[in-house]
Amino acid sequence: MADVPNLNLNNGQTIPQLGFGVFQIDPAETADAVAKALDVGYRHIDTAEMYQNEKGVGEGIRAAGLDRSEVFITSKLSNAAHRPDDARAAFDGTLAALDTDYVDLFLIHWPLPTSYDGDFVSTWKTLEEFYRAGRARSIGVSNFQVPHLRRLAAETDVVPAVNQIEVHPYFGNEEVRAYGQEHGILTEAWSPIAQGAVLDDPTISTIAERVGKTPAQVTLRWHVQRGDIIFPKSTTPSRIKENFEIFDFTLEDEDMAMINALDKGEEGRTGGHPDTLAFP
Ligand SMILES: NC(=O)c1ccc[n+]([C@@H]2O[C@H](COP(=O)([O-])OP(=O)(O)OC[C@H]3O[C@@H](n4cnc5c(N)ncnc54)[C@H](OP(=O)(O)O)[C@@H]3O)[C@@H](O)[C@H]2O)c1
């Protein structure tokens, strides 16, 4: 089994390109799922305050008998906590729930440009505090559109290490990815298999049959070859393993192009739109 590549973030830290996502995993089942993923070999867990399962993530890591330093942990600020004092309290809560004194990466989950007087800049400056104190080894954003990123560039000091956005074969999100590439911000692709919606696609199935892999593996491999970071979610042990086995084959340029061509633009978006998603 080939190793998971580590990608360089813009601040000298590194991140495993493949992780394990825990969105929609029941808090009571999270520790088991995380321990299973770590047993398979994952060393990167993506959680969030809003998933309400940070405690299970910490428990799963301890249950697996791994040292804290062996696992890259990402969490995200709740949409309910953008005001600086709320963000400070929420971040304390994240560290307490995970039972750790730092996270590897902490993100603003959504920009919420129509809430909090449109002020995600103060929120970002609060994350800069966590970063400078070493309590977040890296900081980044999620669901930020290009104008949001431009505003951070103009008004703040630290360039986000990543932007975690919806990306899968039906929604390439290319404009936001391109801005990241130009500015040293790595793209993290959420819902990398579109929660299963791309797995019956005839183009993907045909490629999968030819290369002797599953549609999920082909799709995840496509992301990896585009340079994005992914963390597929599953609570099914066989799929947790399947999604990890994507480093022993390569897609040809022609296959990559065929999957790129499945992009439906905005029509392919499955989640909320970052310009309009609001709190509460
Ligand atoms: N920042 C954000 O706003 C945001 C939004 C959404 C997601 N995320 C992050 O991205 C992660 C992944 O996204 P996601 O959970 O939305 O969706 P996903 O990883 O694209 O898909 C997960 C779904 O696909 C199924 N599945 C997983 N592997 C499979 C396989 N090999 N074959 C067939 N089905 C498979 C899972 O079912 P079973 O579990 O039943 O196996 C689950 O229903 C999340 O966990 C979270 O960490 C972030």
Side-chain angles (χ1 to χ4, degrees):
M1 170 61 53
D3 289 340
V4 175
N6 279 311
L7 303 187
N8 295 317
L9 298 172
N10 61 18
N11 60 357
Q13 302 282 335
T14 61
I15 182 169
Q17 190 176 10
L18 173 67
F20 181 69
V22 298
F23 177 43
Q24 291 174 328
I25 300 187
D26 187 306
E29 292 169 18
T30 303
D32 278 356
V34 166
K36 170 69 191 165
L38 295 168
D39 184 46
V40 164
Y42 294 80
R43 289 293 181 271
H44 165 183
I45 310 293
D46 185 89
T47 183
E49 288 171 37
M50 291 194 291
Y51 304 166
Q52 299 182 358
N53 57 18
E54 290 168 312
K55 190 164 178 280
V57 170
E59 287 168 1
I61 293 170
R62 285 186 294 282
L66 291 170
D67 191 73
R68 167 69 187 89
S69 63
E70 294 177 85
V71 185
F72 188 104
I73 305 177
T74 299
S75 194
K76 318 185 190 85
L77 183 70
S78 167
N79 288 346
H82 272 216
R83 295 278 186 224
D85 278 346
D86 294 340
R88 291 181 191 110
F91 185 62
D92 288 347
T94 282
L95 295 185
L98 289 163
D99 195 12
T100 179
D101 52 9
Y102 71 94
V103 286
D104 295 278
L105 180 60
F106 195 65
L107 311 180
I108 299 180
H109 206 145
W110 287 87
L112 309 178
T114 63
S115 309
Y116 301 106
D117 313 312
D119 182 17
F120 50 76
V121 172
S122 299
T123 313
W124 181 250
K125 288 181 177 170
T126 310
L127 264 65
E128 289 181 340
E129 287 173 17
F130 309 154
Y131 177 56
R132 293 203 174 93
R135 300 168 77 217
R137 297 264 165 100
S138 300
I139 51 175
V141 292
S142 178
N143 300 302
F144 273 47
Q145 297 284 81
V146 170
H148 307 143
L149 295 167
R150 286 196 201 287
R151 192 162 156 215
L152 289 189
E155 299 180 39
T156 70
D157 297 329
V158 178
V159 178
V162 306
N163 187 17
Q164 182 177 130
I165 53 175
E166 180 177 349
V167 184
H168 46 72
Y170 291 160
F171 184 51
N173 216 339
E174 299 300 354
E175 190 193 338
V176 183
R177 288 182 74 248
Y179 181 95
Q181 270 159 16
E182 283 158 26
H183 295 85
I185 302 168
L186 291 187
T187 293
E188 297 194 322
W190 63 250
S191 292
I193 56 173
Q195 299 201 337
V198 300
L199 302 182
D200 292 329
D201 186 276
T203 299
I204 295 174
S205 304
T206 304
I207 295 170
E209 245 171 67
R210 178 159 42 74
V211 301
K213 287 282 180 177
T214 66
Q217 289 170 325
V218 165
T219 306
L220 296 172
R221 181 70 206 175
W222 169 80
H223 284 283
V224 164
Q225 289 184 211
R226 280 156 55 97
D228 291 352
I229 298 158
I230 45 170
F231 21 81
K233 170 266 174 186
S234 179
T235 45
T236 312
S238 61
R239 290 173 173 172
I240 294 176
K241 188 165 178 289
E242 173 187 335
N243 296 344
F244 195 74
E245 294 173 345
I246 58 171
F247 298 103
D248 54 359
F249 74 111
T250 305
L251 295 174
E252 303 296 334
D253 290 350
E254 201 179 304
D255 296 331
M256 292 295 293
M258 278 166 64
I259 302 175
N260 288 340
L262 300 175
D263 189 358
K264 301 177 186 185
E266 273 301 323
E267 247 179 63
R269 190 191 286 279
T270 64
H273 196 294
D275 285 340
T276 50
L277 193 131
F279 174 78

